[in-house]
Amino acid sequence: MTNTPAEQEEKVAGVEVGERRIAIPGFTEEGENLAEEKVDSAHTHGGLGENQEITSGAGSRGKRTESFDPADFPQPTGREEEWRFSPLKKLAPVLEDAPTDGAPVDYQISAPESVVVSSLAEGTAPRSTVLQPADLAAAIASKQSPEALYIQIPADTEAEEPIRVDITGIEAGKRANSHIVLEAAAHAKGTFVIEHRGSAIFNGNVEIKVGDGADVKIISLQRWNDDAIHTGQHDAEVGRDAKYKHVAVSLGGEVVRLNTNFRYAAEGAEAEMYGLYFADSGQHIEHRTFVDHNSPSNKSNVLYKGALQGATARTVWIGDVLIRKAAEGTDSYEKNENLVLTDGARADSVPNLEIETGVIDGAGHASSTGRFDENHLFYLMARGIPEDIARQLVVRGFLNEVIQKIEVPAIEEALQEDLENELKIHGN
């Protein structure tokens, strides 16, 4: 009996290849050799000098410094890839290796009785088993947080109500360092909500460990007062056959800079990152994401959406996806969309995709920044809706795709109200 082509397909690391293999132009099964190709520094973003030759691999997201020692990170100058979009003068307080100044923030924790709430000293697992500081601020936050808040959903347990950590700044201009460890053990399920309010200079890490078969959602809300400064790194490790979703919403604060990352512990996982931000005059909101496909047969999806209004409103989104050589069978996509509502507002959007293997199910990225679709406005106004109301409807519809990912009705309603208030500031 003669085998059909489908029956002749081989498997590599559990991934079907042969007739179904996807060919990617410029790639072989060994991937693209990023370390050897020379590039002109004028076409890089590394800030290494006009006459200095570097390799394209030197800019690889997977090769950047990670360390718990702040001394391993030089003081940023603005020429580094990690900091070239950031307002360093305003961030200077969180880039100083200094302890928490008194008690400038208040923590309120709400969790079901089945959930474990305690603290972890430095060197006590699972602290520092997932999060590796990727910049100076994160290294300082880890060093200057002797005790980390630890919240765990035990194995085979479902937390029926969201677990809340409410962080309120109560002393404007005072510095706070923070480290939070969230864990969902094997086959656990639950939603964690971290909400930031009030006024403070806040430097906080969040470390998330997702066990095998677990189903976890993280909702991080930045609803600060207009004078707050917030830097943070959120890192997750997603276990075998687990589901993970991270939703970041940034509406308040003078400067908010979040570095949100995840990687995989084994195969079969699905991980998602969603973000929503709205910047007014004087605000700088910066989101950086990194998806590290370090094992085979996993899926990822990233979607961030933002709106800007006001002459000095500024947003930044940097999205990095790295598909390593071992990550055959990966399915990954990232997208960023920005809606500019007034003249002078600026949105920077940089999607980056690195692929080291040609044996994948799919990978892609997209970015768009633009103004209102006049066709949408015309459609609504032609039906008797005033222009200002029509503009509000368009913006709400644009951002609602991310709000719906939260799936906590009380939070969704509060955010819809926040967005309406934002839109009324400039009459949009």
Side-chain angles (χ1 to χ4, degrees):
M1 178 178 178
T2 303
N3 292 336
T4 65
E7 292 169 336
Q8 292 173 344
E9 290 173 357
E10 60 177 320
K11 287 191 176 183
V12 176
V15 180
E16 290 187 353
V17 295
E19 294 295 320
R20 297 181 184 175
R21 177 172 301 176
I22 296 178
I24 301 177
F27 290 85
T28 68
E29 291 181 24
E30 299 301 318
E32 182 179 43
N33 191 341
L34 298 177
E36 294 180 358
E37 180 186 356
K38 299 291 185 178
V39 297
D40 189 322
S41 62
H43 299 288
T44 70
H45 304 300
L48 296 178
E50 293 182 1
N51 299 319
Q52 189 167 355
E53 188 181 58
I54 63 172
T55 63
S56 58
S60 172
R61 185 60 175 81
K63 295 181 179 180
R64 297 187 191 170
T65 301
E66 293 183 336
S67 174
F68 288 96
D69 185 356
D72 290 336
F73 297 94
Q75 194 69 24
T77 65
R79 291 169 61 82
E80 304 84 358
E81 177 62 30
E82 294 91 335
W83 298 101
R84 67 189 180 97
F85 292 104
S86 304
L88 292 178
K89 289 183 178 179
K90 293 182 178 181
L91 290 174
V94 296
L95 298 175
E96 179 184 355
D97 190 358
T100 295
D101 187 4
V105 297
D106 176 69
Y107 291 81
Q108 296 293 326
I109 303 162
S110 174
E113 293 183 359
S114 59
V115 173
V116 176
V117 179
S118 63
S119 62
L120 295 173
E122 291 185 85
T124 305
R127 180 176 178 174
S128 302
T129 62
V130 173
L131 187 143
Q132 302 288 321
D135 60 32
L136 178 59
I140 292 172
S142 178
K143 175 187 174 183
Q144 296 292 350
S145 300
E147 295 290 328
L149 172 64
Y150 175 51
I151 305 177
Q152 183 207 48
I153 306 176
D156 302 306
T157 300
E158 179 176 355
E160 296 182 358
E161 296 295 326
I163 301 160
R164 291 192 61 98
V165 179
D166 290 289
I167 302 173
T168 304
I170 55 179
E171 293 190 55
K174 293 293 184 71
R175 158 75 171 275
N177 301 292
S178 174
H179 194 107
I180 299 172
V181 181
L182 308 176
E183 181 179 16
H187 304 289
K189 184 177 181 179
T191 297
F192 296 91
V193 179
I194 306 173
E195 183 163 357
H196 306 87
R197 288 180 173 272
S199 297
I201 298 172
F202 186 77
N203 185 19
N205 294 334
V206 180
E207 187 168 6
I208 306 118
K209 191 172 183 65
V210 183
D212 293 348
D215 187 345
V216 176
K217 185 189 305 174
I218 308 292
I219 302 169
S220 180
L221 306 174
Q222 289 64 246
R223 303 170 76 186
W224 296 103
N225 292 347
D226 291 341
D227 58 351
I229 306 294
H230 180 186
T231 57
Q233 180 174 326
H234 295 192
D235 274 22
E237 183 181 70
V238 187
R240 184 184 300 277
D241 299 324
K243 293 183 179 180
Y244 173 70
K245 180 189 293 186
H246 186 285
V247 184
V249 178
S250 298
L251 301 178
E254 182 178 5
V255 179
V256 173
R257 184 184 189 272
L258 288 185
N259 189 352
T260 308
N261 320 300
F262 63 75
R263 64 177 184 268
Y264 301 89
E267 302 179 15
E270 297 181 14
E272 302 170 292
M273 281 194 285
Y274 297 97
L276 181 153
Y277 45 90
F278 198 120
D280 293 314
S281 290
Q283 279 189 293
H284 177 102
I285 298 178
E286 181 171 343
H287 287 275
R288 291 172 173 264
T289 64
F290 177 35
V291 179
D292 188 353
H293 278 280
N294 58 331
S295 62
S297 303
N298 291 308
K299 295 181 179 181
S300 70
N301 184 57
V302 177
L303 173 64
Y304 271 64
K305 286 191 164 191
L308 306 83
Q309 64 181 3
T312 58
R314 178 78 185 275
T315 66
V316 178
W317 177 81
I318 310 293
D320 288 304
V321 175
L322 171 59
I323 302 175
R324 298 183 186 267
K325 184 176 179 179
E328 296 178 344
T330 287
D331 188 356
S332 177
Y333 192 76
E334 64 173 349
K335 181 168 69 172
N336 176 231
E337 296 179 314
N338 298 289
L339 188 58
V340 179
L341 305 178
T342 60
D343 292 336
R346 174 177 171 179
D348 288 292
S349 179
V350 185
N352 299 306
L353 177 60
E354 299 177 68
I355 307 175
E356 297 179 352
T357 175
V359 189
I360 61 173
D361 287 352
H365 58 188
S367 170
S368 63
T369 299
R371 295 184 176 273
F372 280 107
D373 187 330
E374 297 299 331
N375 291 328
H376 290 168
L377 286 179
F378 176 80
Y379 177 85
L380 294 171
M381 294 172 64
R383 281 151 181 78
I385 299 175
E387 182 177 356
D388 58 338
I389 302 299
R391 289 181 178 274
Q392 291 181 25
L393 291 173
V394 171
V395 176
R396 286 205 301 266
F398 172 72
L399 297 175
N400 195 54
E401 181 180 3
V402 174
I403 292 178
Q404 290 179 332
K405 300 297 182 181
I406 293 174
E407 298 176 330
V408 178
I411 295 176
E412 291 183 3
E413 292 173 9
L415 292 179
Q416 292 283 12
E417 184 176 340
D418 285 349
L419 289 176
E420 289 194 16
N421 292 333
E422 293 278 3
L423 290 167
K424 289 176 182 176
I425 292 175
H426 285 268
N428 288 309

